[in-house]
Amino acid sequence: MSEGDITSAKKVAIFGATGYVGLMLVNRLIREKISLTLFVRNKRRLKHFKESQDFTICDSKIAFENLDVIAEQLADVEVVYYLINSLSHTPDGLTRPGIELAEIVSSAAEKAGVRQIIYLGELGVEKEGFPLSEHLRCRLEIGSGLRNAGVPVTEIRAGVIIGAGSVSFEIIQALSKKLPFMPRLSFNTGRCQPIDIDDVINYMFHVYMHPSFMGQIVEVGMEETFNCDEMVVLFAKYSHGRKLSRLQIPFLDRLITKKVMARVIALLSAIPYELAFPLVDDMD
């Protein structure tokens, strides 16, 4: 189906509709006059959409005992966007409920006759001597969990999403404004490929029912790569007019662990430690 034919689809469902990317996607699909079924935990975050009549809000708990209920709510849906990212860090380690949720949604989608699942994952390549972080590994496993039921999955693996409101963006902005200098850290060696939020939404819209992308993994991001401290320094320069020096101080390098860095981020930004740590853990 081409973009010109997209409005002929019966309905689209979005799981994770109240997250940063979810809200942006909802706005785009409403503009395209596509009928929506939105699965959310907090209906109040969608109250500003009340003027639009062509969407249904579902707050059913995503659990195996509710699989039949979810399948019934997906009965007239052709495409499911899966945007749930429930991974977070606790004192006991990384929680992994997202994998189970993915399997529930994919099973319900298959039962309902959904034709495509579109999943927004993350870029990550495992190389010898450079294992993936637990967070990235879980994100890849969610994609596998969605594919288990047999519905064609289009997995979009995106780099660091740049846009006001995204967790990564808010961290970069806070550090670029408030740090006196950017320390070079031993674990900040991983390279990433940033991508603008508008480009992410365009990709997610473009793969909708597009035969070429059915069952495919699509990797998106700019060609140039950066590590995290380079992005902070560049953002400080071009957004705040600050020259933020990158300094390698051996004592600090031993003192600032990933947990310490996550707590610094939580202190300097509005991002809680539980969300900051998985992102810091991805920096290797």
Short mmCIF file of all heavy atoms in Angstrom, two decimals, residues 149-176:
data_model
loop_
_atom_site.label_atom_id
_atom_site.label_comp_id
_atom_site.label_asym_id
_atom_site.label_seq_id
_atom_site.Cartn_x
_atom_site.Cartn_y
_atom_site.Cartn_z
N ALA A 149 4.73 -14.64 17.13
CA ALA A 149 3.36 -15.06 16.83
C ALA A 149 3.09 -15.21 15.34
O ALA A 149 2.09 -15.78 14.95
CB ALA A 149 2.37 -14.07 17.44
N GLY A 150 3.95 -14.68 14.49
CA GLY A 150 3.78 -14.88 13.05
C GLY A 150 3.26 -13.68 12.28
O GLY A 150 3.22 -13.72 11.05
N VAL A 151 2.84 -12.61 12.96
CA VAL A 151 2.42 -11.40 12.24
C VAL A 151 3.67 -10.73 11.69
O VAL A 151 4.66 -10.57 12.41
CB VAL A 151 1.68 -10.42 13.18
CG1 VAL A 151 1.28 -9.16 12.43
CG2 VAL A 151 0.46 -11.09 13.79
N PRO A 152 3.70 -10.32 10.42
CA PRO A 152 4.87 -9.64 9.87
C PRO A 152 5.23 -8.40 10.69
O PRO A 152 4.38 -7.55 10.95
CB PRO A 152 4.44 -9.25 8.45
CG PRO A 152 3.38 -10.24 8.10
CD PRO A 152 2.64 -10.51 9.38
N VAL A 153 6.49 -8.33 11.11
CA VAL A 153 6.96 -7.21 11.94
C VAL A 153 7.94 -6.38 11.13
O VAL A 153 8.86 -6.90 10.50
CB VAL A 153 7.65 -7.72 13.23
CG1 VAL A 153 8.25 -6.55 14.02
CG2 VAL A 153 6.66 -8.48 14.10
N THR A 154 7.72 -5.06 11.14
CA THR A 154 8.70 -4.12 10.61
C THR A 154 9.37 -3.47 11.81
O THR A 154 8.74 -2.74 12.56
CB THR A 154 8.04 -3.04 9.74
OG1 THR A 154 7.33 -3.67 8.67
CG2 THR A 154 9.09 -2.10 9.17
N GLU A 155 10.65 -3.79 12.02
CA GLU A 155 11.38 -3.26 13.18
C GLU A 155 12.27 -2.10 12.73
O GLU A 155 13.19 -2.29 11.94
CB GLU A 155 12.23 -4.35 13.83
CG GLU A 155 13.00 -3.87 15.05
CD GLU A 155 13.77 -4.98 15.74
OE1 GLU A 155 13.57 -6.17 15.40
OE2 GLU A 155 14.59 -4.67 16.64
N ILE A 156 11.96 -0.92 13.21
CA ILE A 156 12.76 0.26 12.90
C ILE A 156 13.74 0.47 14.05
O ILE A 156 13.33 0.76 15.18
CB ILE A 156 11.88 1.51 12.72
CG1 ILE A 156 10.91 1.30 11.56
CG2 ILE A 156 12.74 2.75 12.48
CD1 ILE A 156 9.93 2.45 11.37
N ARG A 157 15.01 0.28 13.77
CA ARG A 157 16.04 0.48 14.80
C ARG A 157 16.64 1.87 14.61
O ARG A 157 17.33 2.13 13.63
CB ARG A 157 17.12 -0.60 14.69
CG ARG A 157 16.59 -1.99 15.01
CD ARG A 157 17.67 -3.05 14.92
NE ARG A 157 17.14 -4.39 15.21
CZ ARG A 157 17.84 -5.51 15.10
NH1 ARG A 157 19.10 -5.46 14.67
NH2 ARG A 157 17.29 -6.67 15.39
N ALA A 158 16.35 2.74 15.56
CA ALA A 158 16.74 4.14 15.45
C ALA A 158 17.91 4.45 16.38
O ALA A 158 18.08 3.84 17.43
CB ALA A 158 15.56 5.05 15.79
N GLY A 159 18.71 5.43 15.95
CA GLY A 159 19.76 5.94 16.81
C GLY A 159 19.18 6.85 17.88
O GLY A 159 17.98 6.86 18.12
N VAL A 160 20.03 7.63 18.54
CA VAL A 160 19.58 8.57 19.57
C VAL A 160 18.61 9.57 18.94
O VAL A 160 18.94 10.25 17.97
CB VAL A 160 20.78 9.31 20.19
CG1 VAL A 160 20.30 10.40 21.14
CG2 VAL A 160 21.69 8.32 20.91
N ILE A 161 17.39 9.63 19.49
CA ILE A 161 16.37 10.51 18.93
C ILE A 161 16.54 11.92 19.49
O ILE A 161 16.55 12.13 20.70
CB ILE A 161 14.96 9.97 19.24
CG1 ILE A 161 14.78 8.61 18.55
CG2 ILE A 161 13.89 10.95 18.78
CD1 ILE A 161 13.45 7.94 18.85
N ILE A 162 16.68 12.88 18.57
CA ILE A 162 16.87 14.28 18.95
C ILE A 162 15.57 15.04 18.75
O ILE A 162 15.05 15.10 17.64
CB ILE A 162 17.99 14.93 18.11
CG1 ILE A 162 19.31 14.16 18.28
CG2 ILE A 162 18.16 16.39 18.51
CD1 ILE A 162 19.85 14.14 19.69
N GLY A 163 15.07 15.59 19.82
CA GLY A 163 13.83 16.37 19.77
C GLY A 163 13.41 16.71 21.18
O GLY A 163 13.53 15.87 22.09
N ALA A 164 12.95 17.93 21.40
CA ALA A 164 12.56 18.37 22.73
C ALA A 164 11.51 17.43 23.31
O ALA A 164 10.46 17.21 22.70
CB ALA A 164 12.03 19.80 22.68
N GLY A 165 11.81 16.85 24.45
CA GLY A 165 10.89 15.92 25.09
C GLY A 165 11.42 14.51 25.16
O GLY A 165 11.01 13.73 26.02
N SER A 166 12.33 14.13 24.26
CA SER A 166 12.90 12.79 24.32
C SER A 166 13.89 12.72 25.49
O SER A 166 14.54 13.70 25.83
CB SER A 166 13.59 12.41 23.02
OG SER A 166 14.89 12.96 22.94
N VAL A 167 14.00 11.55 26.09
CA VAL A 167 14.87 11.38 27.25
C VAL A 167 16.32 11.70 26.88
O VAL A 167 17.01 12.43 27.60
CB VAL A 167 14.76 9.95 27.82
CG1 VAL A 167 15.78 9.74 28.94
CG2 VAL A 167 13.35 9.71 28.36
N SER A 168 16.78 11.18 25.75
CA SER A 168 18.16 11.41 25.33
C SER A 168 18.42 12.89 25.11
O SER A 168 19.46 13.42 25.53
CB SER A 168 18.46 10.63 24.04
OG SER A 168 18.30 9.26 24.23
N PHE A 169 17.49 13.56 24.46
CA PHE A 169 17.65 14.99 24.19
C PHE A 169 17.71 15.79 25.48
O PHE A 169 18.54 16.69 25.64
CB PHE A 169 16.50 15.49 23.32
CG PHE A 169 16.53 16.97 23.04
CD1 PHE A 169 17.26 17.47 21.97
CD2 PHE A 169 15.85 17.86 23.84
CE1 PHE A 169 17.30 18.83 21.71
CE2 PHE A 169 15.88 19.22 23.60
CZ PHE A 169 16.61 19.71 22.53
N GLU A 170 16.83 15.47 26.42
CA GLU A 170 16.79 16.22 27.68
C GLU A 170 18.08 16.03 28.47
O GLU A 170 18.56 16.96 29.12
CB GLU A 170 15.58 15.80 28.51
CG GLU A 170 14.23 16.11 27.87
CD GLU A 170 14.04 17.60 27.57
OE1 GLU A 170 14.57 18.44 28.32
OE2 GLU A 170 13.37 17.91 26.57
N ILE A 171 18.67 14.84 28.40
CA ILE A 171 19.94 14.59 29.09
C ILE A 171 21.05 15.42 28.45
O ILE A 171 21.83 16.09 29.14
CB ILE A 171 20.29 13.09 29.05
CG1 ILE A 171 19.34 12.31 29.98
CG2 ILE A 171 21.75 12.86 29.46
CD1 ILE A 171 19.52 10.81 29.90
N ILE A 172 21.13 15.37 27.11
CA ILE A 172 22.16 16.13 26.40
C ILE A 172 22.02 17.62 26.69
O ILE A 172 23.01 18.32 26.96
CB ILE A 172 22.09 15.85 24.89
CG1 ILE A 172 22.48 14.40 24.59
CG2 ILE A 172 22.98 16.82 24.11
CD1 ILE A 172 22.20 13.96 23.17
N GLN A 173 20.79 18.11 26.66
CA GLN A 173 20.58 19.53 26.90
C GLN A 173 20.98 19.93 28.32
O GLN A 173 21.64 20.96 28.53
CB GLN A 173 19.11 19.89 26.67
CG GLN A 173 18.80 21.36 26.94
CD GLN A 173 17.44 21.76 26.43
OE1 GLN A 173 17.34 22.54 25.49
NE2 GLN A 173 16.39 21.25 27.04
N ALA A 174 20.61 19.13 29.31
CA ALA A 174 20.92 19.46 30.70
C ALA A 174 22.43 19.46 30.93
O ALA A 174 22.98 20.37 31.57
CB ALA A 174 20.23 18.47 31.64
N LEU A 175 23.12 18.44 30.43
CA LEU A 175 24.57 18.36 30.62
C LEU A 175 25.29 19.50 29.91
O LEU A 175 26.25 20.07 30.43
CB LEU A 175 25.10 17.01 30.13
CG LEU A 175 24.61 15.77 30.89
CD1 LEU A 175 25.25 14.51 30.30
CD2 LEU A 175 24.90 15.86 32.38
N SER A 176 24.82 19.84 28.70
CA SER A 176 25.49 20.89 27.93
C SER A 176 25.33 22.26 28.57
O SER A 176 26.16 23.15 28.39
CB SER A 176 24.95 20.91 26.50
OG SER A 176 23.59 21.30 26.47
#
